[in-house]
Amino acid sequence: MTYKKRRQNKIIKNILYILKWILLLPCILVDYLICSIIRLKRRRCPHNKQAMFIGIGILVLSCAMVYYMSGNVFFGMHKENSVPSVSAHEDSHNDKPMDMKKKEYGIQIGVDKPYNLFMHDMATQHKELTSSTFTDSPTDALNQEVKTNDMTVKENQSIDDNFFQKTLFIGNSRTKGLYLASAPKGATFYAHEGLLVNNALTKTFIKQKDNQLKISIPEALSKQSFDKVYLMFGTNELGWVSLDTFINYYQDIIDTVQQHNEDATIYVQAILPVSEKKSESTTIYTNDNIVRFNEKIMTMCKEENIHYLDTWASVANDKGVLPDEASTDGIHLNKTYTEIWLDYIRRHTIQETSIKMKDRMKHGI
């Protein structure tokens, strides 16, 4: 769905929301009048039951009319747009990732392990999965048919730092860790600890060169243009109740980027896994939950014609978890693994950046 079309849909929803209240008030009045009549005539009217049934019928028909004309706004819109009652923040925010001595861990850089390989377990079980699912039968999981997505960026020739001269990275503390440990030369980072999709556009955290005053992402985008934009959100939102709310806020961020950089190539990155120990110690930061969020993010990218980067595969091991040696807290990557993550980004690019996404989709390129 394009930005203009989604904006039109929002306007229509607002109109329907107002219409709902216009229609609901007469229904309440009718209901009140019916109840009053029944109370007044209860002892003198010989047709109490008939009056009661007529009143109920009128009320049901009125509610049905409101439901139909408002497009289910009354029952669904408020829940969809509400802020989740439960939210989660990353429980560790290190300004600098812990570096480690470079050792050989048998890491195969370049071997993609799409998270969809593990989704079959979720489809075959009625109860919530635990992280042991990946450890019980990783071989069976790897043999499953992989779901395809046209927007998932395939492996390409690795690019150098010149590619990142007009590139922007937006995200939370994991993206900040990439900046501190392995940032490519020339790239710009709008990254902050605890950044969420619902406050990313309003939080003032970006420092200006000649001014002590910090500004928000939309303000910063109005001052500088970019050819490529990389987004990564979701770790802090794993405790959210509504996935749809998460996606709606994510789309708002994409819309804002497109408004200021219409021709920019946008990459949405998958949420990176956490360690097995971290996943087993919490009900929020679990790899199964990350898989569930990534599935929704992939669907969003397909609907929005936005490139999807399966960065989950860059650091996940055969169990579908972050290796223990990759992090000190099970979430934030050390320098060795941020370089592995960046290497994956370098090898998965759309290099015909001069062609607009909509033109590529129109001509089937």
Side-chain angles (χ1 to χ4, degrees):
M1 185 184 297
T2 62
Y3 164 71
K4 290 183 179 179
K5 187 175 181 181
R6 186 161 59 253
R7 186 178 179 183
Q8 291 175 353
N9 289 343
K10 288 183 179 179
I11 295 174
I12 294 174
K13 284 185 177 180
N14 291 333
I15 294 174
L16 292 176
Y17 187 79
I18 297 173
L19 180 62
K20 178 260 296 190
W21 286 109
I22 294 176
L23 295 175
L24 184 61
L25 290 176
C27 292
I28 296 174
L29 180 60
V30 169
D31 180 51
Y32 176 77
L33 291 174
I34 292 174
C35 292
S36 299
I37 293 172
I38 292 175
R39 284 196 298 269
L40 291 173
K41 300 294 184 179
R42 182 170 292 174
R43 293 183 179 181
R44 290 178 291 177
C45 181
H47 305 290
N48 285 335
K49 290 185 178 180
Q50 291 86 339
M52 182 179 65
F53 288 137
I54 292 173
I56 293 174
I58 294 174
L59 181 62
V60 170
L61 290 175
S62 301
C63 291
M65 180 180 65
V66 172
Y67 181 91
Y68 175 77
M69 296 190 67
S70 63
N72 204 14
V73 171
F74 178 65
F75 297 97
M77 184 174 179
H78 176 73
K79 182 178 180 181
E80 179 182 352
N81 291 337
S82 61
V83 177
S85 58
V86 178
S87 62
H89 297 275
E90 294 177 355
D91 38 11
S92 178
H93 304 302
N94 298 328
D95 288 340
K96 290 188 177 181
M98 292 295 293
D99 197 358
M100 59 182 294
K101 294 180 181 180
K102 292 187 178 181
K103 298 180 181 180
E104 293 297 327
Y105 294 108
I107 302 168
Q108 296 182 358
I109 299 177
V111 179
D112 293 349
K113 298 178 288 298
Y115 69 85
N116 306 75
L117 298 174
F118 300 94
M119 287 302 295
H120 74 291
D121 289 321
M122 298 184 71
T124 57
Q125 294 186 13
H126 296 284
K127 61 181 181 179
E128 182 180 1
L129 296 176
T130 62
S131 57
S132 60
T133 303
F134 298 109
T135 60
D136 291 340
S137 56
T139 304
D140 294 339
L142 290 172
N143 288 333
Q144 295 300 311
E145 182 179 358
V146 182
K147 296 180 181 179
T148 59
N149 189 319
D150 294 338
M151 303 315 299
T152 302
V153 180
K154 305 301 187 295
E155 185 170 359
N156 207 331
Q157 184 178 359
S158 181
I159 45 86
D160 56 23
D161 284 352
N162 291 328
F163 179 84
F164 298 102
Q165 291 303 309
K166 296 190 67 177
T167 297
L168 172 64
F169 288 83
I170 302 177
N172 51 37
S173 58
R174 279 178 157 176
T175 301
K176 185 175 180 178
L178 179 66
Y179 164 71
L180 293 172
S182 308
K185 294 180 180 179
T188 301
F189 283 75
Y190 297 164
H192 189 71
E193 297 93 339
L195 198 64
L196 299 155
V197 289
N198 65 334
N199 67 10
L201 298 179
T202 57
K203 193 176 186 66
T204 54
F205 65 93
I206 302 171
K207 296 180 180 179
Q208 302 181 78
K209 293 181 179 180
D210 303 326
N211 194 331
Q212 296 296 328
L213 185 65
K214 296 180 180 180
I215 60 177
S216 65
I217 288 178
E219 291 173 316
L221 288 172
S222 66
K223 299 176 181 295
Q224 187 177 3
S225 61
F226 300 94
D227 294 333
K228 297 166 285 291
V229 179
Y230 288 82
L231 303 173
M232 178 182 280
F233 288 94
T235 306
N236 292 334
E237 297 87 344
L238 289 175
W240 282 25
V241 174
S242 173
L243 262 173
D244 290 336
T245 302
F246 166 72
I247 293 298
N248 289 338
Y249 279 119
Y250 215 143
Q251 289 173 330
D252 289 339
I253 297 173
I254 293 173
D255 289 345
T256 301
V257 172
Q258 289 177 329
Q259 287 179 43
H260 293 90
N261 300 269
E262 183 180 357
D263 297 333
T265 302
I266 299 177
Y267 299 88
V268 173
Q269 301 176 79
I271 306 171
L272 303 177
V274 297
S275 68
E276 186 174 14
K277 182 179 179 180
K278 181 64 180 179
S279 182
E280 292 176 347
S281 67
T282 176
T283 58
I284 293 177
Y285 297 102
T286 67
N287 285 301
D288 295 322
N289 204 17
I290 292 173
V291 167
R292 186 168 63 93
F293 269 69
N294 281 342
E295 179 87 352
K296 197 73 174 180
I297 292 171
M298 177 184 282
T299 302
M300 176 193 72
C301 290
K302 188 172 184 179
E303 293 175 351
E304 297 292 322
N305 292 330
I306 299 296
H307 297 300
Y308 175 80
L309 272 182
D310 187 18
T311 43
W312 180 95
S314 64
V315 295
N317 61 18
D318 291 339
K319 295 180 181 180
V321 302
L322 186 70
D324 292 335
E325 66 271 14
S327 173
T328 58
D329 62 3
I331 298 179
H332 301 90
L333 306 185
N334 54 41
K335 182 175 177 61
T336 298
Y337 273 79
T338 55
E339 289 177 350
I340 293 172
W341 172 14
L342 180 59
D343 179 76
Y344 183 92
I345 293 175
R346 291 181 185 274
R347 292 181 294 102
H348 293 76
T349 59
I350 303 298
Q351 299 183 11
E352 69 273 22
T353 55
S354 60
I355 305 177
K356 294 182 182 180
M357 166 64 73
K358 60 183 180 180
D359 293 333
R360 290 201 302 272
M361 297 301 298
K362 180 179 180 180
H363 296 92
I365 300 176

